[in-house]
Amino acid sequence: MAAAASRTNVTRLLGLLQSGANACPCHSHAHSHAPTAGAFSNLLKYGRNYASEKDSTDYAFEMAASNIRFGPGVTSEIGMDLNNIKATKVAVYTDSTIAKLHPLKAVVQSLDQHKVNYVIYDTCRVEPTDSSFKSAINFARQHNPDAFVAVGGGSVIDTAKAASLYSAHPEADFLDFVNAPIGKGLPIRKKLNPLIAVPTTAGTGSETTGTAIFDYEPLHTKTGIAHRALKPLLGIVDPLNTRSMPSQVHASSGLDVLCHALESYTALPYNERSPRPKDPILRPAYQGSNPISDVWSLHALKMVVEYLPRAVKDPEDHEAQSQMLLAATFAGIGFGNAGVHLCHGLSYPISGLNKNYKHPGYNVDHPIVPHGVSVALTAPSVFRFTSAACPDRHIDAAAAFGADPSQIKESMAGEVLAEKLTRFLEDLGVPNGLSGLGFDTSMIPELVEGALPQHRVTKLAPAGEPAAEQLASIFEKSMKNY
């Protein structure tokens, strides 16, 4: 039934594109004729214009995503892939848990079978830090590989991206490519060695994106590196590789997919983002919501609502696990080009300021708030706050959770979506707000201070970047969700 429904959706979308061809700026004389009120305009119905006439805002968006190969058992092809790109020495990155499990064994078996020369780095940190990135970078500089393989969740894939980047720039200071204002945010102008990503969690979508996230320990906050040059050459999306995930890891990684989809779909439109880049290389990877990302993000949201509860509750529900892996990839394509906003911007100090909380299901030797949990706990309050800027999109999102859009007034869009989100989180057994992690209202000033530098994402909130007092209010209202 799911496959049939997907085919129906694709057929309907193709029909819309065909019937509205005369309105398409790529297939009509849009410079001499006004766009017609055809079906194609429905794809742009959420306040999009063809281009902004204001020099201060952008007028274009671009799509970048990795090649994706999906299928059960497809990991076995990786050795052939590396031979096909003529790799002579491969650095394989993983973590100490995955090193003992099927995904890495399947990769190594393929590499051995196809006589690929490789070295393994198996100490990637779950929720990486600047220190753990530097250790992985040093390994790459020591071994000088001409290709990289990442086998693991987003933490491992992001670590391999950083290793590839800095091994190609031996002269660079670590902060050169880190997002401003923490780093210099320099563009990447060199071609990097190819990276093949083999995700083992259904969450980050890092196999499709040019983003690498880490905890910057000196400031106790998360930041990252973002550029299209970082995206993997290939993402090998193999449902067999998520079979070993504990239930809690399914839940937290799935919540990351949820927020990727929600935030990218409700982000500031690309043609309202400023400044307009003077050079295409300066156009950010996170450009704002756009008609192509919208398709991927909204579909990913619907998949999460349907399949995440099943994947969490039944470890033998392989259909749900497989669909969540696809949802993560779909959302990755969406948010990798549109961006995320407040849930992610506020999550970074939540993770960075955590001193004692250790989430169940994670076999690590340090306190940890999984990334998906840290982004989800503020989601109800965030979408109450953002709904006034684009209530129609919040209604669409609430409809994905089963609400009747015809019964939702625009003034109530945020409240309805927040209530749906709250019940969804409660049913998954997520901690009850920030207080469930050990935070209290006395820590709000520190949380706000950690969120303020996250301009790269917070400025993509649909009404623009919130003030400090607005961030404080969201944190306060997120102390308890139910």
Side-chain angles (χ1 to χ4, degrees), residues 77-298:
E77 296 181 356
I78 193 170
M80 291 180 278
D81 290 317
L82 291 161
N83 284 337
N84 289 339
I85 62 174
K86 296 179 169 50
T88 61
K89 188 174 186 180
V90 179
V92 180
Y93 283 75
T94 192
D95 62 46
S96 58
T97 298
I98 297 298
K100 304 180 184 73
L101 299 175
H102 162 79
L104 184 68
K105 293 176 182 177
V107 167
V108 167
Q109 181 179 1
S110 181
L111 300 185
D112 288 340
Q113 180 181 350
H114 296 284
K115 298 180 172 54
V116 176
N117 179 31
Y118 64 91
V119 291
I120 296 177
Y121 182 85
D122 62 3
T123 54
C124 292
R125 192 180 194 270
V126 178
E127 303 296 341
T129 64
D130 53 314
S131 298
S132 71
F133 267 15
K134 289 173 184 176
S135 175
I137 292 164
N138 289 337
F139 180 85
R141 287 174 172 170
Q142 176 187 347
H143 289 278
N144 196 29
D146 58 2
F148 292 80
V149 169
V151 188
S155 295
V156 170
I157 299 172
D158 288 1
T159 299
K161 290 175 183 176
S164 174
L165 171 63
Y166 287 95
S167 63
H169 295 83
E171 75 292 345
D173 180 78
F174 181 73
L175 290 178
D176 280 354
F177 300 108
V178 173
N179 298 325
I182 292 173
K184 296 179 182 177
L186 298 180
I188 300 170
R189 297 184 182 273
K190 287 185 182 179
K191 184 176 181 180
L192 306 184
N193 284 324
L195 165 63
I196 298 179
V198 185
T200 62
T201 62
T204 67
S206 188
E207 69 276 6
T208 71
T209 73
T211 303
I213 302 298
F214 64 96
D215 282 308
Y216 187 57
E217 294 170 301
L219 295 181
H220 302 290
T221 192
K222 267 186 162 59
T223 185
I225 306 164
H227 195 277
R228 294 174 187 85
L230 286 178
K231 65 182 176 63
L233 171 68
L234 172 65
I236 293 182
V237 183
D238 184 343
L240 300 184
N241 290 335
T242 63
R243 298 272 173 93
S244 56
M245 270 203 298
S247 175
Q248 286 287 348
V249 180
H250 272 297
S252 57
S253 59
L255 291 173
D256 197 20
V257 184
L258 174 75
C259 289
H260 286 158
L262 280 169
E263 291 173 72
S264 56
Y265 188 68
T266 57
L268 185 79
Y270 75 93
N271 55 8
E272 295 179 21
R273 192 199 74 253
S274 62
R276 177 184 293 189
K278 295 180 179 179
D279 184 319
I281 199 172
L282 300 176
R283 181 167 284 115
Y286 286 5
Q287 302 163 93
S289 58
N290 60 78
I292 300 178
S293 288
D294 289 350
V295 175
W296 294 96
S297 298
L298 188 57

